[in-house]
Amino acid sequence: MTESSNSHYQVLRVAVTATEKEIKVAYRRAARQAHPDHGGDAAAFRRVTAAYETLIDPKRRSAYDRSYAAGTGGGSGDGDSGPHFDAPAAGSHASATVHRPNVPRNTASDAPVYIPPYDQAAFEGTGAVPLIPLHQASQQVHGMPRKRGIFGAEARIQREMRTVQLISRQVLPAIPAARLINGLQSPADNTHIDHALLSGYRLAIIGSMLLPKGAYAWDGRTLNHGGRSIPPPQLAHVVRAMQDIFPELNVTGWTVVHSPDGNLHEPVIDRHRRSAGPHEAVQVVNAAGLVRGLKQFLSSGPAPNTVNVSVLARLLRGMH
């Protein structure tokens, strides 16, 4: 696979989740092979050294991963003019799952298909390793809400845990290829992303709120209740940033509003259209609306039973 060949991880032939010890061992092996004194190439040796110096330094590695550079690289080499929005790359294994006349389409309930595949033959002879191990790619939930700051930490963790449990129980069983990643750092700034849900070529960015029961009006910017305005988490700029980073995906934002008693249909969120403005990038829904919306959004995309390993690996490197 050439799409990841330019990343530091691929230069050292380690997974993006590699430990410091694994990076050191890989560097020694790669340096011996690439060193000009041992018949190697000077340019290749410089790439090995640059990769090691970046990945062995925690701050430099964090900055490298935060840009989601790991796993990116050149094109597929098949003459494709660029990434396909919300669609697999032309000629890829996943493109075979997109519906064509007289060809049954794989549905979201199908068993996961990994792209690139975890085929030993694909790695033999190249010395390459998978971006992440199969046992990690096969997990549907990655990470859990973590304490951040001092004030309100418990309340935040509790509402985020509600969202994790909701998605784990009602969305993931219906879409086996879906992968929930918790505790990401936003590529747009230094804030955090509560949850990211990936399936096929669609990605949902999710934030959580906890509000009293009742009826709320959502006008695209604020929730209004009893003359009081409540701003939801600011996700639109994060959605735009993630869309820029992953142009091959369809990225949307969702804010789920939980009620204190756990009723999935409370509070009631009424949508009030604004008179003008761009298409909303973020949906504000209650728990029942989130389950319904995510299932529809993820399952209606192309190849919804695909686990995009390259994207998943890059997201996992952004976890805290």
Side-chain angles (χ1 to χ4, degrees):
M1 301 297 292
T2 60
E3 65 176 303
S4 301
S5 60
N6 292 330
S7 80
H8 290 330
Y9 295 98
Q10 287 298 301
V11 168
L12 295 184
R13 294 175 178 174
V14 295
V16 297
T17 53
T19 64
E20 180 180 329
K21 181 179 179 180
E22 290 171 335
I23 290 172
K24 288 181 178 179
V25 171
Y27 168 68
R28 288 194 290 267
R29 180 179 61 246
R32 283 196 301 269
Q33 295 175 349
H35 200 286
D37 291 346
H38 296 278
D41 176 69
F45 183 73
R46 287 194 296 270
R47 287 194 296 270
V48 168
T49 302
Y52 174 74
E53 290 176 347
T54 298
L55 299 184
I56 203 63
D57 184 310
K59 290 185 177 180
R60 292 181 63 181
R61 183 180 183 183
S62 179
Y64 179 76
D65 291 336
R66 196 169 300 145
S67 68
Y68 293 84
T72 63
S76 59
D78 57 4
D80 194 5
S81 60
H84 296 265
F85 179 79
D86 197 19
S92 70
H93 291 278
S95 66
T97 65
V98 177
H99 179 70
R100 295 183 178 84
N102 303 319
V103 177
R105 173 180 176 170
N106 289 336
T107 65
S109 61
D110 287 343
V113 174
Y114 296 91
I115 303 298
Y118 282 89
D119 181 0
Q120 188 63 32
F123 303 106
E124 289 178 351
T126 66
V129 297
L131 289 171
I132 52 176
L134 176 58
H135 73 83
Q136 192 172 29
S138 62
Q139 293 176 221
Q140 283 200 282
V141 180
H142 299 267
M144 298 301 284
R146 298 184 183 183
K147 185 175 181 179
R148 303 193 301 266
I150 300 174
F151 302 104
E154 276 306 315
R156 179 190 56 76
I157 290 175
Q158 287 179 12
R159 66 175 179 263
E160 288 185 19
M161 279 302 304
R162 283 198 185 194
T163 304
V164 172
Q165 292 168 357
L166 178 71
I167 294 174
S168 298
R169 293 170 181 172
Q170 303 214 30
V171 178
L172 299 186
I175 309 177
R179 298 294 181 261
L180 176 63
I181 304 99
N182 305 297
L184 291 169
Q185 180 162 348
S186 167
D189 49 35
N190 290 324
T191 61
H192 291 74
I193 299 173
D194 294 350
H195 321 278
L197 185 59
L198 172 71
S199 183
Y201 292 82
R202 293 197 166 185
L203 177 67
I205 304 301
I206 305 163
S208 306
M209 298 181 73
L210 179 64
L211 295 176
K213 295 173 62 175
Y216 294 76
W218 166 242
D219 64 3
R221 293 184 180 176
T222 60
L223 283 167
N224 297 286
H225 175 68
R228 178 188 174 199
S229 294
I230 308 166
Q234 300 301 304
L235 293 181
H237 69 296
V238 178
V239 170
R240 289 193 294 270
M242 296 295 271
Q243 186 65 82
D244 289 340
I245 291 166
F246 299 108
E248 72 273 29
L249 305 182
N250 183 345
V251 184
T252 61
W254 302 76
T255 294
V256 55
V257 184
H258 297 287
S259 69
D261 63 0
N263 186 335
L264 302 188
H265 301 278
E266 289 280 356
V268 176
I269 310 295
D270 294 323
R271 296 175 56 84
H272 289 188
R273 288 185 179 179
R274 287 176 289 165
S275 57
H279 179 71
E280 294 175 16
V282 179
Q283 301 284 340
V284 176
V285 293
N286 57 25
L290 181 72
V291 170
R292 182 171 58 252
L294 288 180
K295 283 183 176 179
Q296 194 279 330
F297 171 67
L298 297 177
S299 63
S300 62
N305 65 315
T306 296
V307 177
N308 192 320
V309 179
S310 297
V311 173
L312 178 60
R314 291 155 68 189
L315 290 173
L316 292 181
R317 284 302 306 159
M319 285 176 58
H320 286 262

mmCIF file of all heavy atoms in Angstrom, residues 157-195:
data_model
loop_
_atom_site.group_PDB
_atom_site.id
_atom_site.type_symbol
_atom_site.label_atom_id
_atom_site.label_comp_id
_atom_site.label_asym_id
_atom_site.label_seq_id
_atom_site.Cartn_x
_atom_site.Cartn_y
_atom_site.Cartn_z
ATOM 1 N N ILE A 157 -17.939 13.645 32.954
ATOM 2 C CA ILE A 157 -17.663 12.226 32.728
ATOM 3 C C ILE A 157 -18.950 11.417 32.746
ATOM 4 O O ILE A 157 -19.148 10.503 31.932
ATOM 5 C CB ILE A 157 -16.666 11.705 33.781
ATOM 6 C CG1 ILE A 157 -15.275 12.303 33.523
ATOM 7 C CG2 ILE A 157 -16.591 10.183 33.762
ATOM 8 C CD1 ILE A 157 -14.248 11.945 34.558
ATOM 9 N N GLN A 158 -19.868 11.753 33.654
ATOM 10 C CA GLN A 158 -21.123 11.012 33.746
ATOM 11 C C GLN A 158 -21.956 11.161 32.476
ATOM 12 O O GLN A 158 -22.509 10.184 31.971
ATOM 13 C CB GLN A 158 -21.916 11.477 34.970
ATOM 14 C CG GLN A 158 -21.334 11.007 36.292
ATOM 15 C CD GLN A 158 -22.133 11.501 37.483
ATOM 16 O OE1 GLN A 158 -23.248 12.009 37.335
ATOM 17 N NE2 GLN A 158 -21.562 11.350 38.671
ATOM 18 N N ARG A 159 -22.039 12.388 31.960
ATOM 19 C CA ARG A 159 -22.849 12.555 30.739
ATOM 20 C C ARG A 159 -22.162 11.923 29.533
ATOM 21 O O ARG A 159 -22.824 11.394 28.632
ATOM 22 C CB ARG A 159 -23.190 14.015 30.507
ATOM 23 C CG ARG A 159 -22.031 14.943 30.197
ATOM 24 C CD ARG A 159 -22.552 16.337 29.877
ATOM 25 N NE ARG A 159 -21.484 17.278 29.591
ATOM 26 C CZ ARG A 159 -20.973 18.128 30.466
ATOM 27 N NH1 ARG A 159 -21.444 18.150 31.703
ATOM 28 N NH2 ARG A 159 -20.004 18.960 30.123
ATOM 29 N N GLU A 160 -20.822 11.982 29.483
ATOM 30 C CA GLU A 160 -20.128 11.320 28.381
ATOM 31 C C GLU A 160 -20.285 9.805 28.477
ATOM 32 O O GLU A 160 -20.412 9.122 27.449
ATOM 33 C CB GLU A 160 -18.648 11.711 28.386
ATOM 34 C CG GLU A 160 -18.403 13.151 27.947
ATOM 35 C CD GLU A 160 -16.932 13.484 27.845
ATOM 36 O OE1 GLU A 160 -16.105 12.550 27.765
ATOM 37 O OE2 GLU A 160 -16.597 14.692 27.844
ATOM 38 N N MET A 161 -20.272 9.268 29.686
ATOM 39 C CA MET A 161 -20.476 7.831 29.856
ATOM 40 C C MET A 161 -21.865 7.416 29.393
ATOM 41 O O MET A 161 -22.050 6.327 28.843
ATOM 42 C CB MET A 161 -20.267 7.437 31.315
ATOM 43 C CG MET A 161 -18.803 7.277 31.708
ATOM 44 S SD MET A 161 -17.925 6.035 30.702
ATOM 45 C CE MET A 161 -18.947 4.588 30.954
ATOM 46 N N ARG A 162 -22.843 8.276 29.600
ATOM 47 C CA ARG A 162 -24.197 7.976 29.092
ATOM 48 C C ARG A 162 -24.181 7.826 27.578
ATOM 49 O O ARG A 162 -24.827 6.932 27.027
ATOM 50 C CB ARG A 162 -25.162 9.104 29.481
ATOM 51 C CG ARG A 162 -25.614 9.094 30.919
ATOM 52 C CD ARG A 162 -26.851 9.953 31.042
ATOM 53 N NE ARG A 162 -27.295 10.093 32.413
ATOM 54 C CZ ARG A 162 -28.485 10.561 32.757
ATOM 55 N NH1 ARG A 162 -29.342 10.914 31.815
ATOM 56 N NH2 ARG A 162 -28.828 10.679 34.015
ATOM 57 N N THR A 163 -23.432 8.715 26.938
ATOM 58 C CA THR A 163 -23.360 8.655 25.480
ATOM 59 C C THR A 163 -22.641 7.390 25.018
ATOM 60 O O THR A 163 -23.066 6.729 24.060
ATOM 61 C CB THR A 163 -22.646 9.905 24.931
ATOM 62 O OG1 THR A 163 -23.319 11.078 25.389
ATOM 63 C CG2 THR A 163 -22.629 9.903 23.415
ATOM 64 N N VAL A 164 -21.546 7.044 25.703
ATOM 65 C CA VAL A 164 -20.813 5.815 25.363
ATOM 66 C C VAL A 164 -21.730 4.603 25.504
ATOM 67 O O VAL A 164 -21.776 3.732 24.623
ATOM 68 C CB VAL A 164 -19.567 5.661 26.261
ATOM 69 C CG1 VAL A 164 -18.915 4.293 26.049
ATOM 70 C CG2 VAL A 164 -18.560 6.768 25.985
ATOM 71 N N GLN A 165 -22.457 4.524 26.599
ATOM 72 C CA GLN A 165 -23.355 3.390 26.839
ATOM 73 C C GLN A 165 -24.484 3.359 25.816
ATOM 74 O O GLN A 165 -24.858 2.298 25.313
ATOM 75 C CB GLN A 165 -23.909 3.463 28.257
ATOM 76 C CG GLN A 165 -22.850 3.239 29.329
ATOM 77 C CD GLN A 165 -23.333 3.585 30.721
ATOM 78 O OE1 GLN A 165 -24.456 4.049 30.912
ATOM 79 N NE2 GLN A 165 -22.469 3.384 31.718
ATOM 80 N N LEU A 166 -25.022 4.536 25.491
ATOM 81 C CA LEU A 166 -26.110 4.607 24.519
ATOM 82 C C LEU A 166 -25.666 4.089 23.160
ATOM 83 O O LEU A 166 -26.341 3.247 22.542
ATOM 84 C CB LEU A 166 -26.588 6.057 24.404
ATOM 85 C CG LEU A 166 -27.708 6.335 23.392
ATOM 86 C CD1 LEU A 166 -29.018 5.754 23.883
ATOM 87 C CD2 LEU A 166 -27.843 7.843 23.155
ATOM 88 N N ILE A 167 -24.528 4.580 22.669
ATOM 89 C CA ILE A 167 -24.038 4.156 21.361
ATOM 90 C C ILE A 167 -23.631 2.687 21.391
ATOM 91 O O ILE A 167 -23.905 1.936 20.434
ATOM 92 C CB ILE A 167 -22.856 5.051 20.935
ATOM 93 C CG1 ILE A 167 -23.345 6.482 20.716
ATOM 94 C CG2 ILE A 167 -22.192 4.512 19.672
ATOM 95 C CD1 ILE A 167 -22.231 7.475 20.437
ATOM 96 N N SER A 168 -22.996 2.257 22.483
ATOM 97 C CA SER A 168 -22.542 0.866 22.587
ATOM 98 C C SER A 168 -23.710 -0.113 22.567
ATOM 99 O O SER A 168 -23.610 -1.198 21.989
ATOM 100 C CB SER A 168 -21.718 0.672 23.870
ATOM 101 O OG SER A 168 -20.559 1.475 23.851
ATOM 102 N N ARG A 169 -24.809 0.252 23.182
ATOM 103 C CA ARG A 169 -25.937 -0.662 23.296
ATOM 104 C C ARG A 169 -26.883 -0.606 22.104
ATOM 105 O O ARG A 169 -27.468 -1.631 21.726
ATOM 106 C CB ARG A 169 -26.722 -0.348 24.572
ATOM 107 C CG ARG A 169 -25.954 -0.637 25.856
ATOM 108 C CD ARG A 169 -26.692 -0.089 27.069
ATOM 109 N NE ARG A 169 -25.956 -0.333 28.312
ATOM 110 C CZ ARG A 169 -26.299 0.165 29.494
ATOM 111 N NH1 ARG A 169 -27.366 0.942 29.609
ATOM 112 N NH2 ARG A 169 -25.565 -0.105 30.564
ATOM 113 N N GLN A 170 -27.018 0.569 21.491
ATOM 114 C CA GLN A 170 -28.087 0.715 20.502
ATOM 115 C C GLN A 170 -27.613 1.003 19.081
ATOM 116 O O GLN A 170 -28.407 0.913 18.153
ATOM 117 C CB GLN A 170 -29.053 1.821 20.958
ATOM 118 C CG GLN A 170 -29.651 1.560 22.333
ATOM 119 C CD GLN A 170 -31.066 2.065 22.442
ATOM 120 O OE1 GLN A 170 -31.812 2.110 21.471
ATOM 121 N NE2 GLN A 170 -31.464 2.446 23.645
ATOM 122 N N VAL A 171 -26.354 1.364 18.909
ATOM 123 C CA VAL A 171 -25.861 1.654 17.561
ATOM 124 C C VAL A 171 -24.841 0.611 17.104
ATOM 125 O O VAL A 171 -24.957 0.051 16.012
ATOM 126 C CB VAL A 171 -25.250 3.064 17.485
ATOM 127 C CG1 VAL A 171 -24.699 3.336 16.085
ATOM 128 C CG2 VAL A 171 -26.286 4.128 17.852
ATOM 129 N N LEU A 172 -23.846 0.340 17.947
ATOM 130 C CA LEU A 172 -22.768 -0.570 17.536
ATOM 131 C C LEU A 172 -23.250 -1.978 17.187
ATOM 132 O O LEU A 172 -22.750 -2.562 16.218
ATOM 133 C CB LEU A 172 -21.690 -0.629 18.621
ATOM 134 C CG LEU A 172 -20.985 0.692 18.948
ATOM 135 C CD1 LEU A 172 -19.837 0.463 19.923
ATOM 136 C CD2 LEU A 172 -20.472 1.369 17.681
ATOM 137 N N PRO A 173 -24.204 -2.574 17.941
ATOM 138 C CA PRO A 173 -24.654 -3.926 17.551
ATOM 139 C C PRO A 173 -25.288 -3.967 16.169
ATOM 140 O O PRO A 173 -25.208 -4.988 15.476
ATOM 141 C CB PRO A 173 -25.670 -4.281 18.648
ATOM 142 C CG PRO A 173 -25.275 -3.447 19.818
ATOM 143 C CD PRO A 173 -24.810 -2.153 19.222
ATOM 144 N N ALA A 174 -25.888 -2.860 15.750
ATOM 145 C CA ALA A 174 -26.557 -2.836 14.439
ATOM 146 C C ALA A 174 -25.574 -2.589 13.308
ATOM 147 O O ALA A 174 -25.860 -2.906 12.151
ATOM 148 C CB ALA A 174 -27.632 -1.748 14.430
ATOM 149 N N ILE A 175 -24.396 -2.024 13.611
ATOM 150 C CA ILE A 175 -23.396 -1.710 12.589
ATOM 151 C C ILE A 175 -22.053 -2.270 13.060
ATOM 152 O O ILE A 175 -21.259 -1.566 13.699
ATOM 153 C CB ILE A 175 -23.309 -0.186 12.350
ATOM 154 C CG1 ILE A 175 -24.702 0.393 12.098
ATOM 155 C CG2 ILE A 175 -22.377 0.133 11.191
ATOM 156 C CD1 ILE A 175 -24.724 1.897 11.917
ATOM 157 N N PRO A 176 -21.763 -3.516 12.778
ATOM 158 C CA PRO A 176 -20.545 -4.159 13.299
ATOM 159 C C PRO A 176 -19.244 -3.470 12.911
ATOM 160 O O PRO A 176 -18.243 -3.594 13.618
ATOM 161 C CB PRO A 176 -20.619 -5.577 12.700
ATOM 162 C CG PRO A 176 -22.069 -5.807 12.443
ATOM 163 C CD PRO A 176 -22.618 -4.469 12.041
ATOM 164 N N ALA A 177 -19.224 -2.754 11.792
ATOM 165 C CA ALA A 177 -17.991 -2.086 11.366
ATOM 166 C C ALA A 177 -17.791 -0.733 12.044
ATOM 167 O O ALA A 177 -16.740 -0.121 11.880
ATOM 168 C CB ALA A 177 -17.986 -1.895 9.853
ATOM 169 N N ALA A 178 -18.775 -0.251 12.805
ATOM 170 C CA ALA A 178 -18.662 1.057 13.449
ATOM 171 C C ALA A 178 -17.616 1.008 14.558
ATOM 172 O O ALA A 178 -17.527 0.029 15.301
ATOM 173 C CB ALA A 178 -20.006 1.497 13.998
ATOM 174 N N ARG A 179 -16.842 2.065 14.672
ATOM 175 C CA ARG A 179 -15.796 2.159 15.687
ATOM 176 C C ARG A 179 -15.966 3.479 16.451
ATOM 177 O O ARG A 179 -15.937 4.561 15.857
ATOM 178 C CB ARG A 179 -14.399 2.114 15.045
ATOM 179 C CG ARG A 179 -14.123 0.800 14.286
ATOM 180 C CD ARG A 179 -14.059 -0.381 15.228
ATOM 181 N NE ARG A 179 -13.771 -1.647 14.575
ATOM 182 C CZ ARG A 179 -14.693 -2.546 14.257
ATOM 183 N NH1 ARG A 179 -15.982 -2.312 14.516
ATOM 184 N NH2 ARG A 179 -14.357 -3.703 13.701
ATOM 185 N N LEU A 180 -16.144 3.380 17.774
ATOM 186 C CA LEU A 180 -16.337 4.541 18.637
ATOM 187 C C LEU A 180 -15.021 4.885 19.324
ATOM 188 O O LEU A 180 -14.451 4.046 20.027
ATOM 189 C CB LEU A 180 -17.423 4.247 19.678
ATOM 190 C CG LEU A 180 -17.689 5.328 20.731
ATOM 191 C CD1 LEU A 180 -18.196 6.605 20.074
ATOM 192 C CD2 LEU A 180 -18.688 4.826 21.770
ATOM 193 N N ILE A 181 -14.556 6.115 19.123
ATOM 194 C CA ILE A 181 -13.302 6.566 19.732
ATOM 195 C C ILE A 181 -13.631 7.704 20.687
ATOM 196 O O ILE A 181 -14.244 8.708 20.295
ATOM 197 C CB ILE A 181 -12.298 7.049 18.663
ATOM 198 C CG1 ILE A 181 -12.038 5.949 17.631
ATOM 199 C CG2 ILE A 181 -10.984 7.459 19.308
ATOM 200 C CD1 ILE A 181 -12.827 6.088 16.363
ATOM 201 N N ASN A 182 -13.230 7.569 21.945
ATOM 202 C CA ASN A 182 -13.527 8.555 22.977
ATOM 203 C C ASN A 182 -12.260 9.278 23.412
ATOM 204 O O ASN A 182 -11.201 8.669 23.522
ATOM 205 C CB ASN A 182 -14.159 7.869 24.195
ATOM 206 C CG ASN A 182 -15.385 7.068 23.825
ATOM 207 O OD1 ASN A 182 -16.387 7.603 23.368
ATOM 208 N ND2 ASN A 182 -15.305 5.751 24.004
ATOM 209 N N GLY A 183 -12.376 10.577 23.678
ATOM 210 C CA GLY A 183 -11.251 11.326 24.224
ATOM 211 C C GLY A 183 -10.225 11.759 23.216
ATOM 212 O O GLY A 183 -9.022 11.567 23.411
ATOM 213 N N LEU A 184 -10.668 12.361 22.114
ATOM 214 C CA LEU A 184 -9.738 12.865 21.107
ATOM 215 C C LEU A 184 -9.402 14.324 21.386
ATOM 216 O O LEU A 184 -10.167 15.034 22.045
ATOM 217 C CB LEU A 184 -10.361 12.773 19.712
ATOM 218 C CG LEU A 184 -10.580 11.385 19.128
ATOM 219 C CD1 LEU A 184 -11.434 11.485 17.869
ATOM 220 C CD2 LEU A 184 -9.260 10.733 18.805
ATOM 221 N N GLN A 185 -8.282 14.764 20.865
ATOM 222 C CA GLN A 185 -7.985 16.189 20.890
ATOM 223 C C GLN A 185 -8.385 16.784 19.556
ATOM 224 O O GLN A 185 -8.091 16.236 18.499
ATOM 225 C CB GLN A 185 -6.510 16.465 21.145
ATOM 226 C CG GLN A 185 -6.201 17.959 21.183
ATOM 227 C CD GLN A 185 -4.877 18.275 21.837
ATOM 228 O OE1 GLN A 185 -4.283 17.405 22.454
ATOM 229 N NE2 GLN A 185 -4.427 19.498 21.711
ATOM 230 N N SER A 186 -9.073 17.907 19.625
ATOM 231 C CA SER A 186 -9.534 18.553 18.407
ATOM 232 C C SER A 186 -8.360 19.032 17.576
ATOM 233 O O SER A 186 -7.437 19.659 18.093
ATOM 234 C CB SER A 186 -10.435 19.740 18.748
ATOM 235 O OG SER A 186 -10.640 20.556 17.603
ATOM 236 N N PRO A 187 -8.369 18.760 16.259
ATOM 237 C CA PRO A 187 -7.311 19.277 15.395
ATOM 238 C C PRO A 187 -7.479 20.772 15.137
ATOM 239 O O PRO A 187 -6.571 21.418 14.639
ATOM 240 C CB PRO A 187 -7.497 18.477 14.102
ATOM 241 C CG PRO A 187 -8.959 18.168 14.092
ATOM 242 C CD PRO A 187 -9.340 17.948 15.525
ATOM 243 N N ALA A 188 -8.652 21.329 15.495
ATOM 244 C CA ALA A 188 -8.917 22.737 15.239
ATOM 245 C C ALA A 188 -8.339 23.640 16.326
ATOM 246 O O ALA A 188 -8.030 24.791 16.081
ATOM 247 C CB ALA A 188 -10.421 22.968 15.112
ATOM 248 N N ASP A 189 -8.224 23.112 17.539
ATOM 249 C CA ASP A 189 -7.683 23.892 18.650
ATOM 250 C C ASP A 189 -7.229 22.909 19.723
ATOM 251 O O ASP A 189 -7.020 21.733 19.462
ATOM 252 C CB ASP A 189 -8.725 24.877 19.191
ATOM 253 C CG ASP A 189 -10.076 24.199 19.442
ATOM 254 O OD1 ASP A 189 -10.071 23.019 19.851
ATOM 255 O OD2 ASP A 189 -11.109 24.845 19.238
ATOM 256 N N ASN A 190 -7.084 23.387 20.944
ATOM 257 C CA ASN A 190 -6.619 22.515 22.024
ATOM 258 C C ASN A 190 -7.754 21.931 22.853
ATOM 259 O O ASN A 190 -7.511 21.377 23.922
ATOM 260 C CB ASN A 190 -5.670 23.296 22.943
ATOM 261 C CG ASN A 190 -4.350 23.605 22.256
ATOM 262 O OD1 ASN A 190 -3.854 22.788 21.479
ATOM 263 N ND2 ASN A 190 -3.803 24.775 22.517
ATOM 264 N N THR A 191 -8.982 22.062 22.382
ATOM 265 C CA THR A 191 -10.111 21.483 23.094
ATOM 266 C C THR A 191 -10.207 19.990 22.807
ATOM 267 O O THR A 191 -9.430 19.439 22.028
ATOM 268 C CB THR A 191 -11.424 22.175 22.698
ATOM 269 O OG1 THR A 191 -11.640 21.987 21.281
ATOM 270 C CG2 THR A 191 -11.366 23.665 22.983
ATOM 271 N N HIS A 192 -11.187 19.373 23.421
ATOM 272 C CA HIS A 192 -11.353 17.931 23.280
ATOM 273 C C HIS A 192 -12.618 17.595 22.498
ATOM 274 O O HIS A 192 -13.580 18.361 22.496
ATOM 275 C CB HIS A 192 -11.401 17.263 24.648
ATOM 276 C CG HIS A 192 -10.106 17.291 25.382
ATOM 277 N ND1 HIS A 192 -9.598 18.437 25.967
ATOM 278 C CD2 HIS A 192 -9.182 16.314 25.624
ATOM 279 C CE1 HIS A 192 -8.447 18.169 26.542
ATOM 280 N NE2 HIS A 192 -8.161 16.902 26.345
ATOM 281 N N ILE A 193 -12.583 16.452 21.860
ATOM 282 C CA ILE A 193 -13.764 15.896 21.205
ATOM 283 C C ILE A 193 -14.254 14.752 22.079
ATOM 284 O O ILE A 193 -13.500 13.817 22.354
ATOM 285 C CB ILE A 193 -13.418 15.376 19.794
ATOM 286 C CG1 ILE A 193 -12.899 16.516 18.906
ATOM 287 C CG2 ILE A 193 -14.630 14.714 19.145
ATOM 288 C CD1 ILE A 193 -12.387 16.046 17.552
ATOM 289 N N ASP A 194 -15.494 14.844 22.527
ATOM 290 C CA ASP A 194 -16.012 13.797 23.408
ATOM 291 C C ASP A 194 -15.971 12.428 22.734
ATOM 292 O O ASP A 194 -15.419 11.471 23.268
ATOM 293 C CB ASP A 194 -17.455 14.106 23.828
ATOM 294 C CG ASP A 194 -17.554 15.348 24.685
ATOM 295 O OD1 ASP A 194 -16.503 15.857 25.112
ATOM 296 O OD2 ASP A 194 -18.685 15.816 24.921
ATOM 297 N N HIS A 195 -16.545 12.355 21.536
ATOM 298 C CA HIS A 195 -16.670 11.061 20.860
ATOM 299 C C HIS A 195 -16.575 11.244 19.345
ATOM 300 O O HIS A 195 -17.037 12.243 18.795
ATOM 301 C CB HIS A 195 -18.017 10.393 21.171
ATOM 302 C CG HIS A 195 -18.463 10.567 22.583
ATOM 303 N ND1 HIS A 195 -18.010 9.780 23.621
ATOM 304 C CD2 HIS A 195 -19.335 11.468 23.138
ATOM 305 C CE1 HIS A 195 -18.573 10.171 24.749
ATOM 306 N NE2 HIS A 195 -19.377 11.192 24.490
#
